[in-house]
Amino acid sequence: MIDMNLELFDLIKDANNITLKNHGNTVSLERAVFLSWWCDKGDCAFCYMSTQKNKIKDPAKARRKVPNIYAEAEMCRRLHWNIEFLSGGYESFTTPEIKEIATTIKNIMGEGVWLNTGITEELNEYGNEIKGITGAVEVANQKLHKEICPSKSLEDISNMLEVAGDLGFKKAITIILGLGETLEDLEYLIDYIKTYKIDRVIFYSLNPHKETIYAESSQPASLYYAEVVARIRVEFPSLEIICGTWIDNLANIGILILSGATGITKFPLFKMFGTKYGKRVEEEVKAAGRQLKGTFTDKAMLGPEKSNINPEWDKFIKRYVKESLKNKY
């Protein structure tokens, strides 16, 4: 056991050195901006939206108000958070609607955005408002993928990523750890990244939702998570790696950064802002020897309770600022 730990720690040390050499010492705070809580497929075994599909009588009402989405993007800009991607279930918004939202957010953030809005054959409709396309691979095991995500064909995801590359978009995939995969499945993941020339991998740890088959499952062990990330970092020095962890696992942050993460995600931004949990995120990043891009504690950066861009967003900006200033814990 001691030898195994020493081997893992040496691996993490190598991964850390590679990360510093290729990406510097800055770690970004990332936030996925959700467009809707409706998904027309709604059958991924781990997903919260799979528990909601039969409860939503009118999918249109599960869509977020677009000015609210823009206000959230404005708050991300104020706090120097990156937008990880725009995310929405299948059939929640049309391609022209997503394009318009992405264009406005590009104008807010000053750069194109990533999409994670499902498999589509309409990528040619997008332009420079889009930086990259994300394929929801989810689990690094082909057999498990068919069982866990029956309506999201790996072949279709892979074809979409190939088209995305042909159109000049960057390519990303999402991987959730704790779905039943093992370290042996890393060979498949490594081959996939090489084959499809992936620019970014976003790792998440399983968040066991009620009413799913994973409700009583545990999140993956922190050292297992770290080893997966470290092995991928050593194999792909230039790859962008974002790691998601939950509010009850903030202690993962430091080891994931040392293992190769260049960004961290999956936090309830406005609920955690200014709290002991937000402060903990910043302390974890600092303890890992990194500089943080963005803030979880600087209240001055929240700015005024109205939009600096469009008065139609004022009531949403006000709500976000007030939520961030509440004593929530």
Side-chain angles (χ1 to χ4, degrees):
M1 179 63 71
I2 293 175
D3 288 340
M4 286 179 62
N5 284 339
L6 286 174
E7 183 179 335
L8 175 56
F9 296 150
D10 286 341
L11 173 67
I12 290 172
K13 182 179 178 181
D14 290 343
N16 186 47
N17 289 334
I18 290 169
T19 305
L20 289 170
K21 179 179 178 180
N22 289 274
H23 301 274
N25 71 338
T26 299
V27 171
S28 60
L29 289 169
E30 306 277 338
R31 180 168 177 81
V33 172
F34 282 86
L35 305 180
S36 172
W37 293 108
W38 163 260
C39 179
D40 187 62
K41 296 189 183 298
D43 61 0
C44 290
F46 58 84
C47 185
Y48 171 76
M49 284 194 275
S50 72
T51 70
Q52 300 301 300
K53 184 176 181 180
N54 293 333
K55 300 176 183 179
I56 297 173
K57 296 180 180 179
D58 184 359
K61 292 182 179 179
R63 291 167 38 132
R64 292 182 63 193
K65 295 179 179 178
V66 174
N68 191 3
I69 295 170
Y70 296 153
E72 183 178 348
E74 182 177 340
M75 291 304 300
C76 286
R77 178 172 178 173
R78 291 184 185 188
L79 298 172
H80 294 175
W81 281 56
N82 289 345
I83 292 181
E84 179 185 340
F85 45 54
L86 302 184
S87 180
Y90 284 80
E91 308 299 331
S92 58
F93 280 81
T94 66
T95 296
E97 287 174 325
I98 294 172
K99 179 180 175 69
E100 182 177 354
I101 291 169
T103 299
T104 301
I105 292 181
K106 175 180 181 288
N107 292 335
I108 295 169
M109 299 297 293
E111 61 178 3
V113 296
W114 286 84
L115 288 187
N116 184 17
T117 50
I119 302 164
T120 177
E121 296 180 354
E122 299 180 327
L123 292 182
N124 59 340
E125 298 296 319
Y126 297 110
N128 63 7
E129 72 279 357
I130 301 302
K131 178 187 295 185
I133 303 298
T134 305
V137 171
E138 312 295 37
V139 59
N141 178 300
Q142 290 174 290
K143 182 176 182 294
L144 278 176
H145 181 96
K146 290 179 181 179
E147 297 171 2
I148 295 170
C149 305
S151 296
K152 295 195 304 192
S153 159
L154 267 176
E155 182 179 1
D156 291 342
I157 292 170
S158 302
N159 289 340
M160 179 184 71
L161 290 173
E162 285 191 320
V163 172
D166 292 341
L167 293 171
F169 297 121
K170 290 187 175 182
K171 294 171 284 185
I173 57 173
T174 56
I175 298 290
I176 301 170
L177 300 179
L179 295 177
E181 82 295 333
T182 69
L183 285 173
E184 293 176 356
D185 293 316
L186 277 179
E187 288 305 315
Y188 170 76
L189 179 57
I190 289 169
D191 286 343
Y192 195 95
I193 294 169
K194 288 179 179 177
T195 299
Y196 295 100
K197 298 180 175 60
I198 301 301
D199 301 290
R200 171 199 253 194
V201 175
I202 303 138
F203 288 106
Y204 303 115
S205 60
L206 172 68
N207 185 20
H209 289 294
K210 295 179 181 179
E211 302 180 44
T212 71
I213 63 172
Y214 292 100
E216 301 302 320
S217 299
S218 63
Q219 296 181 34
S222 59
L223 289 182
Y224 167 75
Y225 195 166
E227 182 169 356
V228 169
V229 174
R231 288 195 187 189
I232 295 300
R233 167 55 70 219
V234 170
E235 189 73 31
F236 301 100
S238 63
L239 184 72
E240 183 182 359
I241 299 177
I242 296 172
C243 289
T245 191
W246 304 93
I247 192 170
D248 58 347
N249 259 332
L250 298 181
N252 280 356
I253 293 172
I255 192 69
L256 291 173
I257 290 171
L258 293 176
S259 299
T262 52
I264 51 176
T265 189
K266 220 59 184 173
F267 307 116
L269 168 56
F270 305 108
K271 289 183 179 179
M272 280 177 61
F273 189 89
T275 69
K276 61 184 179 181
Y277 299 108
K279 186 177 181 182
R280 176 66 182 276
V281 172
E282 295 187 350
E283 289 172 343
E284 287 285 335
V285 174
K286 183 178 179 180
R290 299 297 201 271
Q291 296 289 323
L292 185 65
K293 177 181 180 287
T295 181
F296 238 133
T297 59
D298 189 346
K299 295 178 181 179
M301 291 180 67
L302 290 169
E305 293 184 1
K306 61 180 181 179
S307 173
N308 297 323
I309 301 171
N310 189 327
E312 293 181 7
W313 310 344
D314 284 356
K315 67 177 181 179
F316 302 107
I317 293 287
K318 183 177 181 179
R319 185 186 305 164
Y320 286 132
V321 173
K322 284 185 173 294
E323 176 68 19
S324 300
L325 292 173
K326 284 181 182 177
N327 184 11
K328 299 170 282 291
Y329 297 101

